[in-house]
């Protein structure tokens, strides 16, 4: 089953992509040098960017046929720039849930997702006192707790040491596999890709 | 009450002597702005004399066309100033800000002149000074509001991106920025009301009292103009931002800036 198919994609004449298929219910790594359009590819898949020409299809239907906001709730992108409100971890969950018109999760649920993301911090810790890597994991935990169908992660381990990165990706992959969430990860870390990818797509190389 | 003492030219020229004090202090403190002082004083004098001549002519030959032309020019200038201070707005946003400023300004001026004062909108003696004050304050408000809005949008880009990616509607993401920019733009006007009459006798009232108006009449005018100014700032900023922020995203809920 194919999750995303990209055909003849050109973005602003800066990026041309080869035709790609990203499989469903798997962990796919997108690798490639800087500037090969890895982040842009994720944004084409969640509809926050529209290609200049070519077609992106999600679950067999062109992406323009989906309501953009509903699509993004289903195909959840955790971008590279982490944003947390200057509040406690628990209040950050609440704030994001309010924006999504969802009732806030209970403390137990928050704990579960923080643990999956290797972020076992107290729920009342203030986010502005956390380090960059800690914030990145809390940010991911909030997204994971929203239980999308597809999770797109853009450099999720960029601020983490090797060991934490492995734990994090291992946990997230196991969780996604058990919940049948398709996972697409952009990473420049080839070791991580070799360890956890079911499928690796390398951008740039052949064309460059 | 007596009529104001007419200044004769020789006496009037004495006031320029005060500038020598400024010059002396600037020399003493090595402030190399002598040229600016001279140019500024000269420009101020020439511009005001010109305005005086134009107004004298218009009052002696009142014609609706003159009044309308004056207001149109003032409005155009106000819009130009707002856009010059807020570069980087997209074209539709600029258009909306300009139209909001013009429409709110003219609506409040009309209400003030026709309903509150009760004279014709074409009466230059009332319409020109009143619309000057109202449009001037609308200009300050809209400039401030747009600046606060665009700066906070730029500063909160990661927050906007995170929420967009989470499938929140742009409307819901951007509205808090509209509200807080509106607040920023309104606060100076509201705060200035607090001290009015105690730490400041506003210019309009001072002018009217000098020219022989009864203080109570001057105060009623002053109160009316302050309320008009608050309203026009609020209305013009609200319309600019409320209709303007919708130009920042497209029908695919993508932020287009």
């Amino acid at each position: 089953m194919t999750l995303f198919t990209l055909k003849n994609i050109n973005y602003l004449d800066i990026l041309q992509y080869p035709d790609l298929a990203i499989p469903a219910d798997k962990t796919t790594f997108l690798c490639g040098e800087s500037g090969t359009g890895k982040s842009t590819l994720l944004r084409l898949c969640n509809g926050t960017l529209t290609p200049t020409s070519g077609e992106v299809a999600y679950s067999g239907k062109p992406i323009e046929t989906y309501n953009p906001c509903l699509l993004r709730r289903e195909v959840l992108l955790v971008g590279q720039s982490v944003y947390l409100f200057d509040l406690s971890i628990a209040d950050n969950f609440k704030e994001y849930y309010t924006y999504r018109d969802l009732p806030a999760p209970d403390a137990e649920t928050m704990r579960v997702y923080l643990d999956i993301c290797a972020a076992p911090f107290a729920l009342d810790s203030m986010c502005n006192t956390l380090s960059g890597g800690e914030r990145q994991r809390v940010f991911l935990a909030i997204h994971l707790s929203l239980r999308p169908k597809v999770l797109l992660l853009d450099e999720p381990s960029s601020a983490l040491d090797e060991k934490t990165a492995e734990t994090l990706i291992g946990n997230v992959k196991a969780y996604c596999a058990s919940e049948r969430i398709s996972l697409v990860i952009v990473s420049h870390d080839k070791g991580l890709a070799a360890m956890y990818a079911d499928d690796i797509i390398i951008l740039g190389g052949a064309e460059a | 009450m007596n009529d104001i003492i007419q200044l004769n030219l020789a006496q009037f020229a004495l006031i320029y002597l005060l500038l020598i004090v400024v010059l002396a202090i600037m020399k003493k403190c090595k402030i190399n702005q002598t040229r600016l002082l001279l140019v500024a004083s000269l420009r101020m004098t020439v511009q005001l004399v010109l305005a005086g001549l134009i107004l004298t002519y218009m009052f002696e030959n009142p014609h609706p066309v003159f009044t309308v032309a004056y207001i149109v020019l003032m409005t155009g200038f106000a819009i130009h100033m707002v856009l010059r201070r807020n570069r980087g707005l997209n074209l539709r946003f600029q258009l909306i800000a300009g139209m909001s400023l013009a429409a709110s300004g003219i609506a409040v001026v009309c209400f003030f002149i026709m309903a509150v004062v009760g004279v014709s909108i074409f009466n230059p003696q009332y319409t020109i000074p009143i619309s000057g004050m109202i449009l001037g304050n609308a200009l300050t408000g809209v400039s401030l509001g747009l600046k606060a809005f665009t700066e906070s949008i730029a500063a909160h880009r990661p927050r906007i991106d995170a929420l967009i990616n989470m499938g929140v509607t742009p409307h819901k993401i951007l509205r808090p920025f509209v509200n807080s920019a509106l607040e920023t733009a309104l606060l100076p006007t509201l705060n200035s009301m607090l001290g009015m009459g105690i730490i400041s006798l506003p210019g309009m009232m001072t002018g009217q009292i000098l020219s022989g108006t009864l203080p109570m009449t001057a105060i009623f005018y002053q109160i009316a103009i302050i309320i008009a100014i608050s309203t026009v700032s609020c209305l013009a900023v609200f319309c600019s931002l409320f209709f303007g922020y919708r130009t920042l995203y497209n029908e695919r809920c993508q932020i287009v800036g």
Side-chain angles (χ1 to χ4, degrees), chain B:
Chain B
M1 298 293 284
N2 299 321
D3 273 351
I4 192 161
I5 298 168
Q6 298 290 327
L7 298 178
N8 75 47
L9 268 180
Q11 272 177 297
F12 167 72
L14 291 177
I15 197 72
Y16 283 94
L17 290 179
L18 290 183
L19 288 178
I20 296 175
V21 177
V22 182
L23 259 180
I25 294 176
M26 282 169 60
K27 275 270 176 283
K28 171 95 185 144
C29 298
K30 299 194 164 61
I31 301 171
N32 291 323
Q33 298 289 2
T34 319
R35 222 182 102 84
L36 179 64
L37 177 72
L38 293 180
V39 171
S41 315
L42 198 70
R43 269 190 64 164
M44 185 260 304
T45 307
V46 172
Q47 284 162 201
L48 287 178
V49 168
L50 276 179
L53 291 174
I54 293 172
L55 288 179
T56 307
Y57 180 80
M58 286 175 61
F59 289 174
E60 281 168 3
N61 309 280
H63 194 286
V65 171
F66 290 151
T67 314
V68 171
Y70 206 100
I71 294 180
V72 168
L73 265 173
M74 250 187 319
T75 311
F77 186 71
I79 294 173
H80 173 74
M81 292 290 284
V82 165
L83 298 181
R84 211 179 64 181
R85 290 184 205 171
N86 285 280
R87 295 185 190 280
L89 293 180
N90 66 54
L91 199 65
R92 274 167 63 214
F93 208 146
Q94 293 184 11
L95 210 65
I96 287 169
M99 274 167 37
S100 305
L101 177 64
S104 332
I106 288 168
V108 173
V109 168
C110 286
F111 180 75
F112 195 107
I113 302 294
M114 297 198 290
V116 178
V117 183
V119 298
S120 157
I121 190 73
F122 300 121
N123 182 334
Q125 189 196 342
Y126 287 90
T127 301
I128 288 174
I130 298 287
S131 50
M133 293 179 74
I134 288 177
L135 286 168
N137 280 277
L139 173 146
T140 315
V142 174
S143 274
L144 199 60
L146 287 176
K147 206 168 190 56
F149 181 72
T150 47
E151 281 178 1
S152 68
I153 292 270
H156 286 89
R157 197 61 211 222
R159 163 175 167 169
I160 294 169
D161 288 341
L163 289 167
I164 280 284
N165 285 337
M166 226 180 233
V168 180
T169 57
H171 157 83
K172 198 166 178 178
I173 300 171
L174 296 175
R175 266 312 285 280
F177 294 101
V178 170
N179 297 346
S180 76
L182 182 58
E183 188 180 338
T184 307
L186 281 184
L187 280 183
T189 315
L190 298 183
N191 279 326
S192 79
M193 277 199 233
L194 294 175
M196 210 152 277
I198 305 172
I199 44 176
S200 67
L201 284 185
M204 178 197 197
M205 192 178 122
T206 314
Q208 281 186 310
I209 291 175
L210 277 176
S211 59
T213 308
L214 290 169
M216 282 318 286
T217 308
I219 278 169
F220 282 136
Y221 268 96
Q222 188 62 50
I223 292 172
I225 195 76
I226 295 292
I227 292 175
I229 283 170
S230 314
T231 312
V232 82
S233 307
C234 185
L235 198 62
V237 179
F238 172 77
C239 292
S240 305
L241 294 177
F242 186 78
F243 297 109
Y245 87 96
R246 295 152 200 259
T247 65
L248 298 183
Y249 56 88
N250 62 18
E251 74 288 353
R252 297 296 302 157
C253 293
Q254 297 164 340
I255 301 285
V256 289

Side-chain angles (χ1 to χ4, degrees), chain A residues 52-91:
Chain A
T52 310
S53 63
E55 191 181 84
V56 183
Y58 167 62
S59 287
K61 284 197 292 177
I63 209 156
E64 314 83 69
T65 58
Y66 293 87
N67 169 309
C69 287
L70 297 181
L71 174 78
R72 287 171 208 162
R73 292 173 192 199
E74 199 169 308
V75 179
L76 191 59
L77 168 61
V78 186
Q80 258 187 89
S81 69
V82 169
Y83 182 83
L84 293 172
F85 299 90
D86 285 340
L87 300 167
S88 67
I89 293 181
D91 286 339

Side-chain angles (χ1 to χ4, degrees), chain A residues 9 18 34 50 64 70 85 92 123 133 135 139 141 150 158 173 180 186-188 190 195-196 204:
Chain A
I9 298 288
S34 317
T50 300
E64 314 83 69
L70 297 181
F85 299 90
N92 264 280
L123 289 177
R135 291 167 61 85
F139 189 60
V150 181
S158 58
K173 180 179 174 173
R180 296 194 39 143
V186 160
S187 179
H188 62 271
K190 292 218 172 73
M195 209 176 308
Y196 293 109

Side-chain angles (χ1 to χ4, degrees), chain A residues 82-96 110 114 119 121-142:
Chain A
V82 169
Y83 182 83
L84 293 172
F85 299 90
D86 285 340
L87 300 167
S88 67
I89 293 181
D91 286 339
N92 264 280
F93 272 91
K94 287 179 194 150
E95 194 71 27
Y96 275 116
M110 296 183 202
L114 288 167
F121 316 123
L123 289 177
D124 59 358
S125 326
M126 293 304 289
C127 289
N128 52 10
T129 63
L130 301 177
S131 74
E134 290 168 340
R135 291 167 61 85
Q136 195 174 31
R137 282 171 280 159
V138 171
F139 189 60
L140 177 55
I142 296 173

